[in-house]
Amino acid sequence: MSTDTQPYGAFFNQQLWDLPSLILNTRLAEALDRGIARYPIHRSLRLAARTSVDAMFDDLAFNLGLIAQRPNGRNLLLDGEGVFIDARAGSKADYCSFYFGIWADSVERAEAILQAVRARFEPTRIREPMFSIDWHFLSGNGELQSANIEELADDVLLDDAYPEIGDVAGFIDRYLRAKETVLVLQGRPGTGKTRLIRAILGEISRRNEGSAQALYTGDKKALECDEIYVKFITGDDHAFVVEDADHLLRPRAEGNEHLHRFLAIADGVVRAQGRKIVFSTNLPNVGDLDDALVRPGRCFAHVNVRELRLDEAAVLIRRLAGERGLDADAAIAAVAASGNRSHSLAEIYQAVDRLK
């Protein structure tokens, strides 16, 4: 996850009245007016493939036997007898993500289309576990909107990078099996909080037949309305991730008016369903957090994700350099030359990358 304005590239920007929604809603209104159950069946499908968006959309446009329209480079509409498809896509560095909303007049028609779409992806489809980030933000007119992207669950964390945790894989396993809902990761920027969150989501995916969904936000205004909490409680997301949650985690005695929403859902249906809430914060002190949030029974762990001392950084650098067949001494010397008493993971990884 990122604190940029558009994390993960933020494709699939779901405007309320974009062209596919306008077409579909018009047809539904006409069908209701005429008493026709035109699209009673809905299915959705998420896929990722090592191909380009244009190549895949061209293939789908010409080989599914449906009428195709391209409103823009990231959207494909497919229309045919008893079926309407809204396909959206976005690109990462080495693969592309696709989302299909499918409306059909029968279960058989919907399943046939799903099978046909999957068949077109077969040669390039990514089969590794993935997780879906559903990033939420408040638009300029005050409406809660979201953007989706599929992420590969390929983060490999080294125990040497997290001395406060030690056995990282064991820690994640215990958290996912625990009855407690909340996890708080506290530390300066660049210390690996986001890497750890990605690893948690990746493990959820591996335990859930290769897929997982996470509701994500770093938008302060989005957290001030009830809609995002209702969506998490009533939706299918496996986790709620709040990054840079400094404003949300301060004690209520200091005027924090919004933490109570998380306290309520953490002990309710979310806990009963085994879903998780992960906060990351840059607040420097343990005392900056509200005691109710981190109390036993609600919070699995409050982890100080800290920078590494030079001796700890050297161990990690030797591990990273060794895996790549590089000489670690130059990277250790570069880190030491900064004169800092401690070193972030970002600084350490950068020093190793420069050895290439």
Side-chain angles (χ1 to χ4, degrees):
M1 270 133 283
S2 167
T3 56
D4 295 338
T5 304
Q6 299 287 322
Y8 296 114
F11 355 104
F12 313 153
N13 196 356
Q14 299 173 351
Q15 302 295 333
L16 182 61
W17 286 109
D18 57 12
L19 180 59
S21 297
L22 181 60
I23 294 173
L24 181 63
N25 280 284
T26 299
R27 291 189 181 185
L28 292 176
E30 291 174 349
L32 288 172
D33 184 57
R34 296 165 56 192
I36 302 172
R38 181 159 186 172
Y39 297 124
I41 305 301
H42 175 261
R43 296 290 187 270
S44 62
L45 178 65
R46 298 182 188 274
L47 293 167
R50 291 185 172 90
T51 184
S52 70
V53 173
D54 286 343
M56 182 52 66
F57 274 179
D58 290 350
D59 182 86
L60 294 172
F62 287 107
N63 292 295
L64 289 181
L66 302 173
I67 299 171
Q69 300 289 343
R70 291 286 293 274
N72 53 62
R74 301 297 178 185
N75 198 201
L76 171 67
L77 304 182
L78 296 167
D79 194 12
E81 184 65 31
V83 66
F84 178 81
I85 302 174
D86 173 16
R88 303 175 183 232
S91 301
K92 295 286 286 184
D94 56 354
Y95 67 92
C96 295
S97 301
F98 298 85
Y99 169 82
F100 295 87
I102 300 170
W103 292 263
D105 61 1
S106 68
V107 172
E108 292 76 16
R109 183 66 166 138
E111 293 301 322
I113 286 294
L114 283 170
Q115 183 176 352
V117 170
R118 289 192 182 101
R120 304 314 307 175
F121 275 85
E122 195 62 27
T124 58
R125 180 182 175 186
I126 294 175
R127 291 173 173 77
E128 294 93 325
M130 305 193 74
F131 58 87
S132 174
I133 295 292
D134 191 11
W135 177 65
H136 286 70
F137 57 96
L138 218 59
S139 67
N141 59 5
E143 294 180 346
L144 186 68
Q145 297 186 0
S146 65
N148 287 290
I149 188 173
E150 300 293 302
E151 289 282 313
L152 278 171
D154 58 355
D155 291 77
V156 177
L157 300 190
L158 301 177
D159 295 345
D160 296 325
Y162 296 90
E164 297 300 305
I165 295 177
D167 178 8
V168 178
F171 174 83
I172 293 174
D173 174 65
R174 293 192 300 275
Y175 174 47
L176 297 183
R177 290 189 291 106
K179 63 180 182 180
E180 291 86 359
T181 301
V182 173
L183 173 63
V184 179
L185 305 177
Q186 185 174 10
R188 295 177 61 183
T191 52
K193 300 187 297 296
T194 294
R195 288 176 182 266
L196 183 54
I197 291 171
R198 287 179 56 89
I200 291 169
L201 297 179
E203 184 58 28
I204 293 175
S205 174
R206 280 183 279 273
R207 298 181 183 205
N208 193 51
E209 299 181 352
S211 66
Q213 294 178 211
L215 191 155
Y216 162 83
T217 191
D219 190 325
K220 179 179 179 180
K221 292 183 178 179
L223 293 166
E224 294 175 355
C225 61
D226 291 330
E227 187 176 352
I228 193 168
Y229 303 96
V230 172
K231 187 170 183 179
F232 183 55
I233 292 172
T234 60
D236 298 323
D237 296 290
H238 299 91
F240 193 162
V241 177
V242 184
E243 288 224 75
D244 298 322
D246 302 8
H247 63 284
L248 189 66
L249 303 182
R250 290 190 181 278
R252 286 166 292 171
E254 297 181 8
N256 185 347
E257 300 176 355
H258 306 293
L259 181 60
H260 70 278
R261 292 184 174 94
F262 279 104
L263 298 180
I265 66 174
D267 295 333
V269 64
V270 171
R271 177 174 177 176
Q273 294 177 349
R275 292 188 276 173
K276 301 298 183 181
I277 301 174
V278 183
F279 298 98
S280 78
T281 176
N282 300 324
L283 292 173
N285 302 310
V286 174
D288 292 330
L289 306 181
D290 191 288
D291 291 338
L293 179 68
V294 295
R295 72 165 174 79
R298 172 179 290 148
C299 181
F300 169 76
H302 168 212
V303 181
N304 177 27
V305 187
R306 63 174 177 82
E307 295 182 336
L308 304 185
R309 302 187 308 268
L310 181 58
D311 62 316
E312 294 171 329
V315 171
L316 178 58
I317 289 172
R318 294 194 184 282
R319 174 79 177 273
L320 293 170
E323 292 177 349
R324 306 179 192 185
L326 302 172
D327 181 4
D329 291 338
I332 295 173
V335 169
S338 70
N340 297 328
R341 297 180 60 184
S342 59
H343 309 275
S344 70
L345 288 190
E347 179 186 356
I348 293 167
Y349 276 89
Q350 186 178 52
V352 174
D353 288 340
R354 286 173 177 168
L355 297 176
K356 297 178 180 180

